[in-house]
């Protein structure tokens, strides 16, 4: 069974740090890009960061650039998100998601997030 | 950055109704548009990718259409389990995705 399990969330003070982990199973982890998506309480989904299958390319939303670092350990089938200089507005449920792809109109590849974890909650408060 | 705008933000409907949700992109994204369903306290679930392709296991009452900047998600006959929040997502700039703000579908 394809599965993603996040961990590492918790309560942290403003300016603090936290590292989230996402353990993957049931698929060839190194073959797929992975993303972190967050959802603030009562709000919509916000894409946060992504990393290529090899780990050689990383991408960030402007709201976290310079503060968050995404990484992966393909030998451990694990995705990470190192979060520094945390702010109250970073309070959210953080989901990891696996990229999927399929052929679509015009014979091109189309990408989507086909597997999601249950999420881990990060609360930034004094 | 590509901005995604959904309408309406909320919608009340009854079981059996036909419902349409709209998503507009700030620039042309061809057919690089996905739809997700999210129920309270749960992770999002992929419904449709490439604007109109149904994800495996998703009921056929869900359909998607559109290309360029304007897209729709249609539920042909609402079932009780369909009351949820729906999000569109552009994958034109993958892996730098962006989501619409969501449409909450409530029971009338």
């Amino acid at each position: 069974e394809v599965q993603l399990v996040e961990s590492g969330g918790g309560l942290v003070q403003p300016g603090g740090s936290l590292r989230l982990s996402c353990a993957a199973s049931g698929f060839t982890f190194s073959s797929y890009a992975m993303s972190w998506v967050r959802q603030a309480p009562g709000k919509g989904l916000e894409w946060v960061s992504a990393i290529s299958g090899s780990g050689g390319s990383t991408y960030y939303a402007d709201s976290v650039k310079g503060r968050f670092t995404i990484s992966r350990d393909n030998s451990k089938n694990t995705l990470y998100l190192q979060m520094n200089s945390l702010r109250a507005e970073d309070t959210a449920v953080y989901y990891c998601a696996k990229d999927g792809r399929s052929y679509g109109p015009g014979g091109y590849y189309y990408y989507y997030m086909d597997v999601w974890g249950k999420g881990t909650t990060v609360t930034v408060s004094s | 950055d590509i901005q995604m705008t959904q309408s309406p933000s909320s919608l009340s409907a009854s079981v059996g109704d036909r419902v349409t949700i709209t998503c507009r992109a700030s620039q042309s994204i061809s057919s690089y548009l996905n739809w997700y369903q999210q129920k309270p306290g749960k992770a999002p679930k992929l419904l449709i990718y490439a604007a109109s392709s149904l994800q495996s296991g998703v009921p056929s009452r869900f359909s998607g259409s559109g290309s360029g900047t304007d897209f729709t998600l249609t539920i042909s006959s609402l079932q009780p389990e369909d009351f949820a929040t729906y999000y569109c997502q552009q994958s034109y700039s993958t892996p730098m995705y962006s989501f619409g703000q969501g449409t909450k579908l409530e029971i009338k």
Side-chain angles (χ1 to χ4, degrees):
Chain A
E1 179 193 6
V2 177
Q3 194 172 10
L4 299 172
V5 179
E6 302 95 336
S7 61
L11 174 63
V12 61
Q13 292 188 338
S17 298
L18 212 54
R19 188 176 85 153
L20 306 183
S21 300
C22 171
S25 59
F27 64 100
T28 305
F29 182 66
S30 60
S31 295
Y32 296 92
M34 298 290 295
S35 289
W36 288 97
V37 175
R38 69 184 180 183
Q39 186 169 37
K43 302 298 184 183
L45 302 171
E46 179 188 15
W47 172 81
V48 172
S49 183
I51 187 168
S52 63
S54 67
S57 297
T58 58
Y59 309 84
Y60 299 94
D62 289 343
S63 58
V64 306
K65 200 173 294 183
R67 300 187 299 122
F68 289 12
T69 302
I70 191 171
S71 62
R72 64 192 298 160
D73 185 336
N74 286 343
S75 69
K76 295 182 178 179
N77 289 348
T78 303
L79 174 72
Y80 302 100
L81 186 67
Q82 177 66 43
M83 304 186 296
N84 298 332
S85 302
L86 282 162
R87 307 166 179 167
E89 54 265 36
D90 296 319
T91 294
V93 175
Y94 285 73
Y95 296 100
C96 64
K98 168 188 165 291
D99 260 24
R101 70 178 190 181
S102 296
Y103 278 115
Y108 299 106
Y109 271 128
Y110 289 78
Y111 292 83
Y112 42 79
M113 296 173 175
D114 61 351
V115 181
W116 296 66
K118 294 183 188 298
T120 188
T121 300
V122 173
T123 303
V124 184
S125 175
S126 55
Chain B
D1 293 3
I2 301 173
Q3 311 298 321
M4 308 301 294
T5 303
Q6 289 180 232
S7 61
S9 295
S10 63
L11 175 60
S12 294
S14 302
V15 172
D17 284 354
R18 179 184 179 89
V19 166
T20 297
I21 298 169
T22 297
C23 178
R24 175 165 288 177
S26 60
Q27 67 179 71
S28 177
I29 57 170
S30 184
S31 296
Y32 293 93
L33 192 283
N34 306 320
W35 289 98
Y36 297 84
Q37 176 194 66
Q38 187 182 34
K39 296 182 179 179
K42 301 293 188 182
K45 172 188 172 185
L46 177 68
L47 297 176
I48 288 170
Y49 64 92
S52 60
S53 297
L54 202 63
Q55 172 69 346
S56 176
V58 174
S60 59
R61 63 181 179 273
F62 291 92
S63 64
S65 64
S67 66
T69 60
D70 295 314
F71 303 86
T72 59
L73 172 70
T74 299
I75 309 172
S76 61
S77 178
L78 273 174
Q79 299 301 300
E81 61 267 30
D82 299 337
F83 292 95
T85 300
Y86 294 84
Y87 294 92
C88 62
Q89 176 203 47
Q90 65 81 17
S91 60
Y92 182 84
S93 58
T94 187
M96 300 180 74
Y97 299 96
S98 52
F99 293 90
Q101 81 278 16
T103 296
K104 186 174 183 179
L105 179 53
E106 299 174 302
I107 301 173
K108 185 182 287 185

Coordinates of all heavy atoms in Angstrom, one line a residue, chain A residues 51-118:
Chain A
I51 N 10.7 19.1 -4.1 CA 12.0 18.6 -4.4 C 12.0 17.5 -5.5 O 11.0 16.7 -5.5 CB 12.7 18.1 -3.1 CG1 14.2 17.7 -3.3 CG2 11.9 16.9 -2.5 CD1 14.9 17.5 -2.0
S52 N 12.9 17.5 -6.4 CA 13.0 16.5 -7.4 C 13.3 15.1 -6.8 O 13.7 15.0 -5.6 CB 14.0 16.8 -8.4 OG 15.3 16.9 -7.8
G53 N 13.1 14.1 -7.6 CA 13.3 12.7 -7.1 C 14.8 12.5 -6.6 O 15.0 11.8 -5.7
S54 N 15.7 13.1 -7.3 CA 17.1 12.9 -7.0 C 17.5 13.8 -5.8 O 18.6 13.6 -5.2 CB 18.0 13.2 -8.2 OG 17.9 14.6 -8.5
G55 N 16.7 14.8 -5.6 CA 17.1 15.8 -4.5 C 17.9 17.0 -5.1 O 18.2 17.9 -4.3
G56 N 18.2 16.9 -6.3 CA 19.1 17.9 -6.9 C 18.4 19.3 -7.2 O 19.2 20.3 -7.4
S57 N 17.1 19.3 -7.2 CA 16.4 20.5 -7.5 C 15.4 20.8 -6.4 O 14.6 19.9 -6.0 CB 15.7 20.5 -8.8 OG 16.6 20.4 -9.9
T58 N 15.4 22.0 -5.9 CA 14.4 22.4 -4.9 C 13.7 23.6 -5.2 O 14.2 24.5 -6.0 CB 15.1 22.5 -3.5 OG1 16.1 23.5 -3.6 CG2 15.7 21.2 -3.0
Y59 N 12.5 23.8 -4.7 CA 11.6 24.9 -5.1 C 10.9 25.3 -3.8 O 10.5 24.5 -3.0 CB 10.6 24.5 -6.1 CG 11.2 23.8 -7.3 CD1 11.5 22.4 -7.3 CD2 11.5 24.5 -8.5 CE1 12.1 21.8 -8.3 CE2 12.1 23.8 -9.6 CZ 12.4 22.5 -9.5 OH 12.9 21.8 -10.5
Y60 N 10.6 26.7 -3.7 CA 10.0 27.2 -2.5 C 9.0 28.3 -2.9 O 9.2 29.1 -3.8 CB 11.0 27.8 -1.6 CG 12.1 26.9 -1.1 CD1 13.3 26.7 -1.8 CD2 11.8 26.1 0.0 CE1 14.2 25.8 -1.3 CE2 12.7 25.1 0.5 CZ 13.9 25.0 -0.2 OH 14.9 24.1 0.2
A61 N 7.9 28.4 -2.1 CA 7.0 29.5 -2.1 C 7.7 30.7 -1.6 O 8.6 30.6 -0.7 CB 5.7 29.2 -1.3
D62 N 7.4 31.9 -2.1 CA 8.0 33.1 -1.6 C 7.8 33.3 -0.1 O 8.7 33.9 0.5 CB 7.4 34.3 -2.4 CG 7.8 34.4 -3.8 OD1 8.8 33.7 -4.2 OD2 7.2 35.1 -4.6
S63 N 6.7 32.8 0.4 CA 6.4 33.0 1.8 C 7.4 32.3 2.8 O 7.5 32.6 4.0 CB 5.0 32.6 2.1 OG 4.8 31.2 1.8
V64 N 8.1 31.3 2.3 CA 9.0 30.5 3.1 C 10.5 30.5 2.6 O 11.4 30.0 3.3 CB 8.6 29.1 3.3 CG1 7.1 29.0 3.7 CG2 8.7 28.3 2.0
K65 N 10.7 31.2 1.5 CA 12.0 31.2 0.9 C 13.0 31.8 1.8 O 12.8 32.9 2.4 CB 12.0 31.9 -0.4 CG 13.2 31.6 -1.4 CD 12.9 32.3 -2.7 CE 11.8 31.7 -3.5 NZ 11.6 32.3 -4.8
G66 N 14.2 31.1 2.0 CA 15.2 31.7 2.9 C 15.0 31.2 4.4 O 15.9 31.4 5.2
R67 N 13.8 30.6 4.7 CA 13.6 30.2 6.1 C 13.4 28.7 6.2 O 13.8 28.0 7.2 CB 12.3 30.9 6.7 CG 12.4 32.4 6.7 CD 11.2 33.0 7.4 NE 9.9 32.6 6.8 CZ 8.9 32.0 7.4 NH1 9.0 31.6 8.6 NH2 7.8 31.8 6.7
F68 N 12.8 28.1 5.1 CA 12.6 26.6 5.1 C 13.6 26.0 4.1 O 13.9 26.6 3.1 CB 11.2 26.4 4.6 CG 10.1 26.7 5.6 CD1 10.3 27.5 6.8 CD2 8.8 26.3 5.4 CE1 9.3 27.8 7.6 CE2 7.8 26.6 6.3 CZ 8.0 27.4 7.4
T69 N 13.9 24.7 4.4 CA 14.8 23.9 3.6 C 14.2 22.6 3.4 O 13.9 21.8 4.4 CB 16.2 23.8 4.1 OG1 16.7 25.1 4.3 CG2 17.1 23.0 3.1
I70 N 13.9 22.2 2.2 CA 13.4 20.8 1.9 C 14.6 19.9 1.5 O 15.6 20.4 0.9 CB 12.4 20.9 0.7 CG1 11.6 19.5 0.6 CG2 13.0 21.3 -0.6 CD1 10.4 19.6 -0.3
S71 N 14.5 18.7 1.9 CA 15.5 17.7 1.6 C 14.9 16.3 1.6 O 13.8 16.1 2.0 CB 16.7 17.8 2.5 OG 16.3 17.5 3.9
R72 N 15.7 15.4 1.1 CA 15.2 14.0 1.1 C 16.4 13.0 1.3 O 17.5 13.4 0.9 CB 14.4 13.7 -0.1 CG 15.2 13.7 -1.4 CD 14.3 13.7 -2.7 NE 13.6 12.4 -2.7 CZ 12.4 12.3 -3.5 NH1 12.0 13.3 -4.2 NH2 11.8 11.2 -3.5
D73 N 16.1 11.9 1.9 CA 17.1 10.8 2.0 C 16.5 9.6 1.3 O 15.7 8.9 1.9 CB 17.4 10.5 3.5 CG 18.5 9.5 3.7 OD1 18.8 8.7 2.7 OD2 19.1 9.5 4.7
N74 N 16.9 9.4 0.1 CA 16.3 8.3 -0.7 C 16.7 6.9 -0.1 O 16.0 5.9 -0.4 CB 16.7 8.4 -2.2 CG 16.0 9.5 -2.8 OD1 14.9 10.0 -2.4 ND2 16.5 10.0 -4.0
S75 N 17.8 6.8 0.6 CA 18.1 5.5 1.2 C 17.2 5.2 2.4 O 17.1 4.0 2.8 CB 19.6 5.6 1.7 OG 19.7 6.4 2.8
K76 N 16.6 6.2 2.9 CA 15.6 6.0 4.1 C 14.2 6.2 3.6 O 13.3 6.2 4.5 CB 16.0 7.0 5.2 CG 17.3 6.7 5.9 CD 17.6 7.6 7.0 CE 18.9 7.3 7.7 NZ 19.2 8.2 8.8
N77 N 14.0 6.5 2.4 CA 12.6 6.8 1.9 C 11.9 7.9 2.7 O 10.7 7.7 3.1 CB 11.7 5.5 1.9 CG 12.2 4.5 0.8 OD1 12.9 4.9 -0.1 ND2 11.7 3.3 0.9
T78 N 12.6 8.9 3.0 CA 12.1 10.0 3.9 C 12.3 11.4 3.3 O 13.4 11.7 2.8 CB 12.8 9.9 5.3 OG1 12.5 8.6 5.8 CG2 12.2 10.9 6.2
L79 N 11.3 12.2 3.4 CA 11.3 13.6 3.0 C 11.4 14.4 4.3 O 10.8 14.1 5.3 CB 10.0 13.9 2.3 CG 9.7 15.3 1.8 CD1 10.7 15.7 0.7 CD2 8.3 15.4 1.4
Y80 N 12.0 15.6 4.2 CA 12.2 16.5 5.4 C 11.8 17.9 5.0 O 11.9 18.3 3.8 CB 13.6 16.5 5.9 CG 14.1 15.1 6.2 CD1 15.0 14.4 5.4 CD2 13.8 14.5 7.5 CE1 15.5 13.1 5.7 CE2 14.3 13.3 7.8 CZ 15.1 12.6 6.9 OH 15.6 11.4 7.3
L81 N 11.4 18.6 6.0 CA 11.3 20.1 5.9 C 11.8 20.7 7.1 O 11.3 20.6 8.2 CB 9.8 20.5 5.7 CG 9.6 22.0 5.4 CD1 10.1 22.3 4.0 CD2 8.1 22.3 5.5
Q82 N 13.0 21.4 7.0 CA 13.6 22.1 8.1 C 13.0 23.5 8.1 O 13.1 24.3 7.1 CB 15.1 22.2 7.9 CG 15.8 23.0 9.0 CD 15.7 22.4 10.4 OE1 15.9 21.2 10.5 NE2 15.5 23.2 11.4
M83 N 12.4 23.9 9.2 CA 11.7 25.2 9.3 C 12.4 26.0 10.3 O 12.4 25.7 11.5 CB 10.2 25.0 9.6 CG 9.5 24.1 8.7 SD 7.7 24.0 9.0 CE 7.7 23.2 10.6
N84 N 13.0 27.2 9.9 CA 13.7 28.1 10.8 C 13.0 29.4 10.8 O 12.1 29.7 10.0 CB 15.1 28.3 10.4 CG 15.9 27.0 10.4 OD1 15.7 26.1 11.2 ND2 16.9 26.9 9.5
S85 N 13.3 30.2 11.8 CA 12.7 31.6 12.0 C 11.2 31.5 11.8 O 10.6 32.3 11.1 CB 13.3 32.5 10.9 OG 14.7 32.6 11.0
L86 N 10.6 30.6 12.6 CA 9.2 30.4 12.4 C 8.4 31.6 12.9 O 8.7 32.3 13.9 CB 8.8 29.2 13.2 CG 9.1 27.9 12.4 CD1 9.1 26.7 13.4 CD2 8.1 27.7 11.3
R87 N 7.2 31.9 12.3 CA 6.3 33.0 12.6 C 5.0 32.4 12.9 O 4.6 31.3 12.5 CB 6.3 33.9 11.3 CG 7.6 34.4 10.8 CD 7.4 35.0 9.4 NE 8.7 35.5 8.9 CZ 8.8 35.8 7.6 NH1 7.8 35.7 6.7 NH2 10.0 36.2 7.2
A88 N 4.1 33.3 13.5 CA 2.8 32.9 13.8 C 2.0 32.4 12.6 O 1.2 31.5 12.6 CB 2.1 34.0 14.5
E89 N 2.3 33.1 11.5 CA 1.6 32.7 10.2 C 2.0 31.4 9.6 O 1.4 31.0 8.6 CB 1.7 33.9 9.2 CG 3.1 34.3 8.9 CD 3.6 35.5 9.7 OE1 3.2 35.6 10.9 OE2 4.4 36.3 9.2
D90 N 3.0 30.8 10.2 CA 3.4 29.4 9.7 C 2.6 28.4 10.4 O 2.7 27.2 10.1 CB 4.9 29.2 10.0 CG 5.8 30.1 9.2 OD1 5.5 30.4 8.0 OD2 6.8 30.6 9.8
T91 N 1.7 28.8 11.4 CA 0.9 27.8 12.0 C -0.1 27.1 11.0 O -0.8 27.8 10.3 CB 0.1 28.5 13.1 OG1 0.9 29.0 14.2 CG2 -1.0 27.6 13.7
A92 N 0.0 25.8 11.0 CA -0.8 25.1 10.0 C -0.7 23.6 10.1 O 0.2 23.1 10.9 CB -0.3 25.5 8.6
V93 N -1.5 22.9 9.5 CA -1.3 21.5 9.2 C -0.4 21.3 8.0 O -0.7 22.0 7.0 CB -2.6 20.7 9.0 CG1 -2.3 19.2 8.7 CG2 -3.5 20.8 10.3
Y94 N 0.7 20.6 8.1 CA 1.6 20.4 7.0 C 1.4 19.0 6.5 O 1.5 18.0 7.2 CB 3.1 20.6 7.5 CG 3.4 22.1 7.7 CD1 2.9 22.8 8.8 CD2 4.2 22.8 6.8 CE1 3.1 24.1 8.9 CE2 4.5 24.1 6.9 CZ 3.9 24.8 8.0 OH 4.2 26.1 8.2
Y95 N 1.2 18.9 5.2 CA 1.0 17.6 4.5 C 2.2 17.4 3.6 O 2.7 18.4 2.9 CB -0.2 17.7 3.6 CG -1.6 17.8 4.3 CD1 -2.2 19.0 4.3 CD2 -2.2 16.7 4.9 CE1 -3.4 19.2 5.0 CE2 -3.4 16.8 5.5 CZ -4.0 18.1 5.5 OH -5.3 18.2 6.1
C96 N 2.7 16.2 3.5 CA 3.5 15.8 2.4 C 2.7 15.1 1.3 O 1.7 14.5 1.6 CB 4.7 15.0 2.8 SG 4.3 13.3 3.4
A97 N 3.1 15.3 0.1 CA 2.4 14.8 -1.1 C 3.4 14.3 -2.1 O 4.4 14.9 -2.4 CB 1.5 15.8 -1.7
K98 N 3.0 13.2 -2.8 CA 3.8 12.6 -3.8 C 3.3 13.1 -5.2 O 2.1 13.2 -5.4 CB 3.6 11.1 -3.8 CG 4.1 10.3 -5.0 CD 3.8 8.8 -4.9 CE 3.9 8.1 -6.2 NZ 2.9 8.6 -7.2
D99 N 4.2 13.4 -6.0 CA 3.9 13.8 -7.4 C 3.5 12.5 -8.2 O 4.2 11.5 -8.1 CB 5.0 14.5 -8.1 CG 4.9 16.0 -8.1 OD1 4.1 16.5 -7.2 OD2 5.5 16.6 -9.0
G100 N 2.5 12.7 -9.0 CA 2.2 11.6 -10.0 C 2.1 12.2 -11.3 O 2.1 13.5 -11.5
R101 N 2.1 11.4 -12.4 CA 2.0 12.0 -13.7 C 1.4 11.0 -14.6 O 1.5 9.7 -14.4 CB 3.4 12.3 -14.3 CG 4.3 11.1 -14.6 CD 5.6 11.6 -15.1 NE 6.4 10.4 -15.6 CZ 7.6 10.5 -16.2 NH1 8.2 11.7 -16.3 NH2 8.2 9.5 -16.6
S102 N 0.7 11.5 -15.6 CA 0.0 10.6 -16.6 C 0.0 11.4 -17.9 O 0.1 12.6 -18.0 CB -1.4 10.4 -16.2 OG -1.5 9.6 -15.0
Y103 N -0.1 10.6 -19.0 CA -0.3 11.2 -20.3 C -1.7 11.8 -20.4 O -2.6 11.3 -19.8 CB -0.1 10.2 -21.4 CG 1.3 10.0 -21.8 CD1 1.9 8.7 -21.6 CD2 2.1 11.0 -22.3 CE1 3.2 8.5 -21.9 CE2 3.5 10.7 -22.7 CZ 4.0 9.5 -22.4 OH 5.3 9.3 -22.8
G104 N -1.8 13.0 -21.0 CA -3.1 13.6 -21.2 C -3.2 14.2 -22.5 O -2.6 13.8 -23.5
P105 N -4.1 15.3 -22.7 CA -4.3 15.9 -24.0 C -3.0 16.2 -24.7 O -2.1 16.8 -24.1 CB -5.1 17.1 -23.6 CG -5.8 16.8 -22.3 CD -4.8 15.9 -21.6
G106 N -3.0 15.9 -26.0 CA -1.8 16.3 -26.8 C -0.6 15.4 -26.6 O 0.4 15.6 -27.2
G107 N -0.8 14.3 -25.8 CA 0.3 13.4 -25.6 C 1.4 13.9 -24.6 O 2.5 13.3 -24.6
Y108 N 1.0 14.9 -23.9 CA 2.0 15.4 -22.9 C 1.8 14.8 -21.5 O 0.8 14.3 -21.2 CB 1.9 17.0 -22.8 CG 2.1 17.7 -24.1 CD1 1.0 18.3 -24.8 CD2 3.4 17.9 -24.6 CE1 1.2 18.9 -25.9 CE2 3.6 18.6 -25.8 CZ 2.5 19.1 -26.4 OH 2.7 19.8 -27.6
Y109 N 2.9 14.9 -20.7 CA 2.7 14.5 -19.3 C 2.0 15.6 -18.5 O 2.3 16.8 -18.7 CB 4.1 14.2 -18.7 CG 4.6 12.8 -18.8 CD1 5.9 12.6 -19.4 CD2 3.8 11.7 -18.4 CE1 6.4 11.3 -19.5 CE2 4.3 10.4 -18.6 CZ 5.6 10.2 -19.1 OH 6.0 9.0 -19.2
Y110 N 1.1 15.1 -17.6 CA 0.4 16.0 -16.7 C 0.7 15.6 -15.3 O 0.7 14.4 -15.0 CB -1.1 16.0 -17.0 CG -1.4 16.7 -18.3 CD1 -1.2 16.1 -19.5 CD2 -1.8 18.0 -18.4 CE1 -1.4 16.7 -20.8 CE2 -2.1 18.7 -19.6 CZ -1.9 18.0 -20.8 OH -2.1 18.6 -21.9
Y111 N 1.0 16.6 -14.4 CA 1.4 16.3 -13.1 C 0.3 16.6 -12.1 O -0.5 17.5 -12.3 CB 2.7 17.0 -12.8 CG 3.9 16.5 -13.6 CD1 4.1 17.0 -14.9 CD2 4.7 15.6 -13.0 CE1 5.2 16.5 -15.6 CE2 5.8 15.1 -13.8 CZ 6.0 15.5 -15.0 OH 7.1 15.0 -15.8
Y112 N 0.3 15.9 -11.0 CA -0.6 16.1 -9.9 C -0.1 15.5 -8.6 O 1.0 14.9 -8.6 CB -2.0 15.5 -10.3 CG -1.8 14.1 -10.9 CD1 -1.6 13.0 -10.1 CD2 -1.9 13.9 -12.3 CE1 -1.4 11.7 -10.7 CE2 -1.7 12.7 -12.9 CZ -1.5 11.6 -12.1 OH -1.3 10.4 -12.6
M113 N -0.8 15.8 -7.5 CA -0.4 15.2 -6.2 C -1.4 14.0 -6.0 O -2.6 14.3 -5.7 CB -0.5 16.2 -5.1 CG 0.5 17.3 -5.3 SD 0.2 18.7 -4.1 CE 1.6 19.7 -4.5
D114 N -0.9 12.8 -6.1 CA -1.8 11.7 -6.1 C -1.9 10.9 -4.7 O -2.8 10.1 -4.5 CB -1.6 10.7 -7.2 CG -0.2 10.1 -7.2 OD1 0.7 10.6 -6.4 OD2 0.1 9.2 -8.0
V115 N -0.9 11.1 -3.9 CA -0.9 10.5 -2.6 C -0.5 11.6 -1.6 O 0.5 12.3 -1.8 CB 0.2 9.3 -2.5 CG1 0.1 8.7 -1.1 CG2 -0.1 8.3 -3.6
W116 N -1.3 11.6 -0.5 CA -1.1 12.6 0.6 C -0.9 11.9 1.9 O -1.6 10.8 2.2 CB -2.3 13.5 0.7 CG -2.5 14.4 -0.5 CD1 -2.9 14.0 -1.8 CD2 -2.4 15.8 -0.6 NE1 -3.0 15.1 -2.6 CE2 -2.7 16.2 -1.9 CE3 -2.1 16.8 0.3 CZ2 -2.7 17.6 -2.3 CZ3 -2.1 18.1 -0.1 CH2 -2.4 18.5 -1.4
G117 N -0.2 12.4 2.8 CA -0.2 12.0 4.2 C -1.3 12.6 4.9 O -2.1 13.3 4.4
K118 N -1.5 12.2 6.2 CA -2.6 12.7 7.0 C -2.3 14.1 7.6 O -3.2 14.7 8.1 CB -2.9 11.7 8.2 CG -3.4 10.4 7.7 CD -3.7 9.5 8.9 CE -4.1 8.1 8.5 NZ -5.3 8.0 7.7

